[in-house]
Amino acid sequence: SAQRKGARVPGGGDGGMGGEASDSDEDMPLAAVLQKAPAAVKAERENSDTDDDIPLVAVAAKVKAQGKLGAAPPAANGSGKASAAARPPRAAPGDYDSEDDIPLAQRMDITVKSRPQKPPKASPKQPDKKRKRSAEKDARGKAKKNRKPASSPKPAKGNGKNEKHMWETLQHQGVLFPEEYRPHGVKMLYDGEPVDLTPDEEEVATFYAAMYKTDYLDHCWGIRKDPTTGQDIGKRRFKENFWADFRDVLGKKHIIKDLNKCDFGPIHEHVEKQSELRRTMDKEAKLKLKQEKEKLEQPFKIALVDGKPQQVGNFRVEPPGLFRGRGEHPKMGRLKKRIMPEDITINIGAEAVIPKCPMPGHDWGRVICDKTVTWLAGWKDTINGKDHKYVWLAANSDIKGNADREKYDKARKLKGANIQKVRKLYNSNMKKDDRFHQQLGVAAYLIDQLALRAGGEKDTDEEADTVGCCTLKAGNVELAKRTNAMIREQMTEEERAKEAHMKKNLEKQEGEDVPDDEQEHYVLDLNFLGKDSIEYKQTNIKIPKLVWSCLKRFKDGKASEDPLFDRITIANVNEHFNSIFPGLTAKVFRTYNASITLQEQLYGDYKVSPDLPKEKKKSNYDLANMKVAILCNHQRAVSKTHSQTIGKLEDRISLTRKLLQQSKREAKLLKDDKLVKWEGMEDNKRKPTLEQLKKRVESRSKMLEKLELNRNTKEALKEVALGTSKINYMDPRITIAWCKRTETPVQVVFNKALLTKFIWAMDVDPSYEF
């Protein structure tokens, strides 16, 4: 086995401090393990088959005994030389008087040298130049001779100096890699002629061919415009980005030079046939595949955290493919390269056995022990270089559950005196003379009242040009004074009907002389691209004159692309919030507003009694949830099957209504002793009794009510995403307490995944209030 170098080991503060003899290294204080003589390590080493069978502390002890502790991580290219770019130089433990004098950040950073790679086998010369060129490519991650060492994932949430330990011992099996690509040999066409492709080239071409029927290509391989409308066919940016990366894979000397001459049709047909074969596979074959998949995944599903089994969430490494992104992402269509072991950092307990790398000739980029974070593995995103992907524990793990509880409890602290303090403070700031405090006050108002995300700086070459509250541009904001009549003119029919319904329950304010239609309001229109490229578009938002006047001052004299808030940053806003109580940030307001809105709706407009049908309770809960989703701008595209679904419901409603009317008519005729023809008579069914007809009328009335309720709810929710607020923003204890009060099974409103995620909240008292 290759030796591991460059290891850093945490100090012995977590180990036992007694002077009793230990039977094994695992029972010894960590500092004592590090004092072991090289001979002891060697003896232990001889009893083990590979480095992977030795706990990380023993590997590190051996490295230290050899005088190599503190070396920089080596390159993952088999050269054995450490890369200066891999990590900044650090002082070695020998520079300190004792192990305990080493800074915590150094003691917590264990980097382990990757195994040197075996040199690639020499392959016989091939007359095909494309085959030779393929060996020099890195599209599938096979040629690693010039590969740079993996960079460690950036600090995750919860990481940093003086952070508490999230765990003391951690053992897991690493990550599951996707299967290697299997070439199918189907040729694409270029200018009408078949073209041979290397496996690397064929894999990328297959990614593109599989997208033929999607909105990205829209049944067109090339970059073309519709001759009728003049609009691009498919998404131009997706095709341009794909072509740029595909051209790099092909190389400059390849025969393929123009995407508009490419025809991926034969490959697309092959992909479709394979999909059809999988769909039509018999049950036995499907069951066998399922069992094989479960067997492969089983070792990765569980981690031992402080000795307790915990389910792992996303243990699979993302497979290569074409990046799609959300909305109009500038990098849509780019090639997501295959992640290799050298790209991955493993986070594991110091005394745990390092997971074996499943790829011969490869090894993990880094192995660390950081107890202040809860991710198990991480790697840099191949598309957005600033982002990192992580493997986390599952949502039902103890660590995740505790984090959720703390999040909702922190938001709950805003209720009452603290939220009043926030509002008093931002109103006071808006009245000050200096622009900094005015902008601070308006930003706080928008975050509180409209549940806007705070926003952050964006690199528009790397990410979509999305904005939040603090990064709003002057062009995202429109200010006006409008009367009720003017506002009503801009409403949709649905909005007008809602207003008319609400107006019936409103009393005219005493002393109000201005006619309703002529009453004027200060209004704000917001239109911008929010998180995940979801459009935020709200018009006629009624705001106080003070806020309106401040926004007008911020906007006057600015071009549409100029920042609206040019004196403050998100850091200023969070510092301002943190002065109210520690830990309060802009993010907490979304959780607070979502939770308080749900509670107000469930016990206000959508209040239900325990004796109502389950379907009615579910509908009212969904409508209350809808209010939260609208507040948080959680949208979704209308399903392509929505019209079909509504059409089927309308047919069932029409048929049920017809049968109900027939049953009512039969009951009346029978009561008058005039019933001579009844439902089912042609099938030799007996004449129904009056009691049977009454039950039939009652049953069909309930069915009609249920169908109409279902139709109306689906129509109301067609553009609203309810799941995001349920998962991330609404305190689950509100929902569970409501279920207990209304005698509604929790399964009616929470699916299996949410029931598992929020198991910590199940024992909440029915009287719970956020």
Side-chain angles (χ1 to χ4, degrees):
S1 299
Q3 291 181 344
R4 301 175 187 267
K5 300 179 182 179
R8 297 183 186 276
V9 186
D14 293 322
M17 301 302 293
E20 297 179 5
S22 295
D23 294 332
S24 69
D25 280 352
E26 294 183 3
D27 297 326
M28 294 171 63
L30 198 50
V33 176
L34 295 176
Q35 303 298 325
K36 288 182 67 174
V41 176
K42 182 178 179 181
E44 182 179 90
R45 189 82 172 108
E46 290 173 351
N47 294 326
S48 178
D49 296 333
T50 67
D51 279 352
D52 291 326
D53 298 326
I54 303 177
L56 189 53
V57 287
V59 178
K62 175 188 172 183
V63 174
K64 181 179 179 180
Q66 294 172 333
K68 302 292 178 66
L69 190 63
N77 55 14
S79 66
K81 296 180 180 180
S83 169
R87 63 184 287 113
R90 295 230 183 137
D95 296 337
Y96 296 91
D97 294 334
S98 71
E99 183 75 20
D100 291 335
D101 293 330
I102 302 174
L104 179 62
Q106 271 186 259
R107 288 189 281 122
M108 293 303 298
D109 187 4
I110 304 173
T111 55
V112 182
K113 184 184 187 304
S114 300
R115 292 190 182 97
Q117 290 188 22
K118 297 177 183 178
K121 295 181 180 179
S123 56
K125 292 184 179 179
Q126 300 179 22
D128 188 351
K129 292 183 179 180
K130 291 191 289 295
R131 295 285 176 182
K132 181 179 179 181
R133 183 166 61 248
S134 174
E136 300 171 358
K137 297 185 183 297
D138 191 26
R140 291 193 294 136
K142 288 191 173 181
K144 301 295 171 193
K145 298 176 73 174
N146 298 317
R147 187 152 193 157
K148 295 180 180 179
S151 61
S152 176
K154 63 184 179 180
K157 294 178 180 179
N159 193 9
K161 295 182 180 179
N162 302 319
E163 288 282 353
K164 67 178 181 180
H165 284 189
M166 305 301 292
W167 47 268
E168 294 303 325
T169 63
L170 174 63
Q171 175 71 67
H172 58 87
Q173 297 302 315
V175 293
L176 179 61
F177 289 92
E179 290 184 359
E180 283 289 316
Y181 176 70
R182 299 177 184 176
H184 49 67
V186 178
K187 299 179 181 181
M188 64 173 286
L189 305 178
Y190 183 71
D191 210 7
E193 297 295 326
V195 178
D196 289 324
L197 298 175
T198 66
D200 290 341
E201 296 162 354
E202 180 191 281
E203 181 181 27
V204 180
T206 304
F207 294 153
Y208 192 70
M211 306 288 287
Y212 183 62
K213 294 181 179 179
T214 68
D215 293 339
Y216 294 95
L217 301 192
D218 196 12
H219 302 81
C220 175
W221 302 120
I223 302 172
R224 306 182 190 280
K225 290 184 179 291
D226 188 313
T228 305
T229 64
Q231 300 294 319
D232 289 325
I233 302 176
K235 297 194 176 185
R236 172 179 285 268
R237 181 173 287 175
F238 183 93
K239 295 180 179 182
E240 289 175 343
N241 285 339
F242 161 76
W243 175 239
D245 282 356
F246 189 41
R247 192 169 48 194
D248 288 343
V249 174
L250 294 171
K252 294 181 179 180
K253 296 181 180 180
H254 203 281
I255 188 175
I256 297 176
K257 302 290 185 183
D258 185 355
L259 181 60
N260 286 329
K261 293 182 180 180
C262 292
D263 182 357
F264 300 85
I267 299 179
H268 172 69
E269 290 176 7
H270 169 76
V271 171
E272 291 285 291
K273 286 179 182 177
Q274 294 301 308
S275 298
E276 184 61 27
L277 285 174
R278 286 192 293 270
R279 280 195 296 268
T280 57
M281 197 179 291
D282 59 60
K283 289 183 178 181
E284 290 76 12
K286 287 182 179 179
L287 180 61
K288 184 179 178 181
L289 284 177
K290 183 181 178 182
Q291 290 172 342
E292 290 174 354
K293 179 172 176 283
E294 289 176 349
K295 184 178 179 181
L296 184 65
E297 293 176 349
Q298 192 58 42
F300 303 93
K301 289 183 175 181
I302 300 296
L304 288 176
V305 184
D306 295 335
K308 183 178 179 181
Q310 300 284 331
Q311 192 173 341
V312 180
N314 53 332
F315 53 80
R316 300 173 190 82
V317 173
E318 189 176 23
L322 299 183
F323 179 70
R324 304 188 189 192
R326 295 180 182 269
E328 297 301 316
H329 199 288
K331 290 195 171 184
M332 65 168 70
R334 293 291 306 274
L335 176 62
K336 292 190 295 184
K337 295 181 180 179
R338 189 176 293 273
I339 301 297
M340 302 300 291
E342 287 79 7
D343 299 312
I344 292 176
T345 295
I346 297 291
N347 187 26
I348 199 166
E351 298 182 357
V353 176
I354 302 171
K356 291 184 179 181
C357 178
M359 294 188 186
H362 296 272
D363 203 355
W364 308 117
R366 296 179 71 216
V367 180
I368 68 171
C369 174
D370 188 346
K371 298 181 181 180
T372 68
V373 297
T374 58
W375 53 267
L376 312 184
W379 58 91
K380 184 180 286 187
D381 186 12
T382 62
I383 297 295
N384 300 316
K386 296 180 180 179
D387 294 339
H388 289 76
K389 305 284 187 179
Y390 295 100
V391 173
W392 303 96
L393 294 171
N396 63 341
S397 65
D398 293 345
I399 288 176
K400 288 282 189 180
N402 291 336
D404 279 345
R405 186 193 296 269
E406 289 174 6
K407 177 179 74 172
Y408 293 117
D409 284 345
K410 185 187 292 183
R412 200 178 177 202
K413 284 176 66 177
L414 258 178
K415 188 177 179 182
N418 278 327
I419 194 64
Q420 295 306 318
K421 186 177 179 181
V422 168
R423 291 167 182 170
K424 184 178 180 180
L425 196 54
Y426 64 59
N427 277 297
S428 174
N429 280 334
M430 284 188 278
K431 294 175 184 176
K432 292 183 178 179
D433 294 332
D434 64 292
R435 189 63 60 89
F436 174 82
H437 282 96
Q438 288 176 358
Q439 292 192 359
L440 201 61
V442 173
Y445 172 87
L446 296 177
I447 289 169
D448 173 33
Q449 297 294 331
L450 302 185
L452 295 186
R453 288 186 174 90
E457 295 299 325
K458 294 282 184 180
D459 181 351
T460 54
D461 292 332
E462 295 285 330
E463 303 173 82
D465 187 17
T466 59
V467 300
C469 178
C470 297
T471 50
L472 283 170
K473 299 173 183 177
N476 300 136
V477 173
E478 291 295 333
L479 298 163
K481 297 177 185 178
R482 297 185 186 126
T483 63
N484 285 330
M486 295 167 64
I487 292 172
R488 199 171 294 109
E489 283 178 5
Q490 298 179 7
M491 286 182 176
T492 63
E493 289 296 328
E494 185 179 358
E495 289 172 336
R496 287 197 189 100
K498 285 182 180 178
E499 188 197 44
H501 176 72
M502 293 177 65
K503 196 172 179 181
K504 291 179 181 177
N505 301 321
L506 296 176
E507 296 181 3
K508 187 177 179 181
Q509 294 182 5
E510 190 174 340
E512 184 181 1
D513 298 325
V514 182
D516 183 62
D517 284 353
E518 297 178 13
Q519 188 176 4
E520 193 174 62
H521 301 280
Y522 292 91
V523 297
L524 165 68
D525 297 343
L526 281 177
N527 190 352
F528 60 88
L529 208 59
K531 184 182 177 183
D532 295 335
S533 298
I534 300 295
E535 183 186 34
Y536 184 101
K537 187 175 183 180
Q538 295 288 340
T539 59
N540 297 314
I541 304 168
K542 297 173 184 177
I543 59 176
K545 182 180 179 180
L546 178 61
V547 180
W548 191 92
S549 301
C550 286
L551 284 170
K552 190 173 186 306
R553 283 196 294 273
F554 304 160
K555 180 180 169 67
D556 284 349
K558 291 182 179 177
S560 62
E561 291 299 310
D562 291 341
L564 183 69
F565 296 105
D566 52 1
R567 307 292 175 87
I568 62 169
T569 65
I570 179 57
N572 299 139
V573 174
N574 281 330
E575 286 172 11
H576 171 65
F577 287 145
N578 197 59
S579 68
I580 297 168
F581 69 79
L584 179 60
T585 64
K587 289 183 178 180
V588 178
F589 280 85
R590 283 177 69 80
T591 306
Y592 167 78
N593 279 306
S595 297
I596 204 71
T597 300
L598 177 69
Q599 183 168 277
E600 289 172 351
Q601 293 296 321
L602 287 177
Y603 298 109
D605 292 348
Y606 299 107
K607 186 176 182 179
V608 296
S609 59
D611 58 336
L612 283 176
K614 181 176 65 175
E615 293 78 17
K616 178 62 177 174
K617 296 176 186 176
K618 172 70 163 60
S619 176
N620 276 27
Y621 179 88
D622 285 345
L623 292 173
N625 191 356
M626 179 187 72
K627 295 287 187 178
V628 178
I630 292 171
L631 175 70
C632 296
N633 198 42
H634 294 152
Q635 302 178 32
R636 66 172 180 175
V638 179
S639 169
K640 293 179 180 179
T641 60
H642 176 74
S643 297
Q644 185 180 358
T645 301
I646 294 296
K648 289 180 179 179
L649 278 172
E650 292 287 4
D651 291 342
R652 290 185 64 191
I653 288 170
S654 179
L655 176 61
T656 304
R657 186 178 288 120
K658 183 178 178 181
L659 291 174
L660 174 60
Q661 291 172 349
Q662 181 178 337
S663 297
K664 286 180 177 179
R665 186 169 53 253
E666 289 178 4
K668 184 180 179 181
L669 290 172
L670 183 61
K671 190 176 181 180
D672 296 338
D673 200 21
K674 295 181 180 179
L675 183 63
V676 293
K677 189 176 180 181
W678 55 88
E679 183 181 342
M681 185 177 178
E682 60 275 12
D683 296 327
N684 298 320
K685 289 187 177 181
R686 293 182 179 180
K687 187 176 181 179
T689 66
L690 186 60
E691 188 64 28
Q692 287 175 329
L693 287 174
K694 285 181 179 180
K695 287 182 178 180
R696 194 177 293 173
V697 168
E698 182 181 359
S699 173
R700 286 174 174 170
S701 295
K702 288 180 179 179
M703 176 59 69
L704 180 61
E705 184 180 355
K706 180 179 176 181
L707 289 170
E708 289 178 336
L709 185 66
N710 191 12
R711 176 200 59 192
N712 296 340
T713 304
K714 284 184 179 295
E715 193 65 36
L717 303 177
K718 64 182 179 182
E719 295 179 295
V720 179
L722 301 181
T724 306
S725 50
K726 273 185 184 178
I727 296 169
N728 297 314
Y729 293 106
M730 301 187 317
D731 185 342
R733 292 170 291 190
I734 299 171
T735 297
I736 296 166
W738 175 85
C739 287
K740 291 179 179 180
R741 287 192 203 182
T742 60
E743 299 176 12
T744 306
V746 183
Q747 296 86 342
V748 171
V749 292
F750 275 179
N751 60 25
K752 186 177 179 181
L754 290 176
L755 289 170
T756 304
K757 176 179 172 63
F758 296 132
I759 193 169
W760 57 269
M762 292 301 167
D763 60 351
V764 69
D765 192 90
S767 61
Y768 175 84
E769 289 188 7
F770 181 75

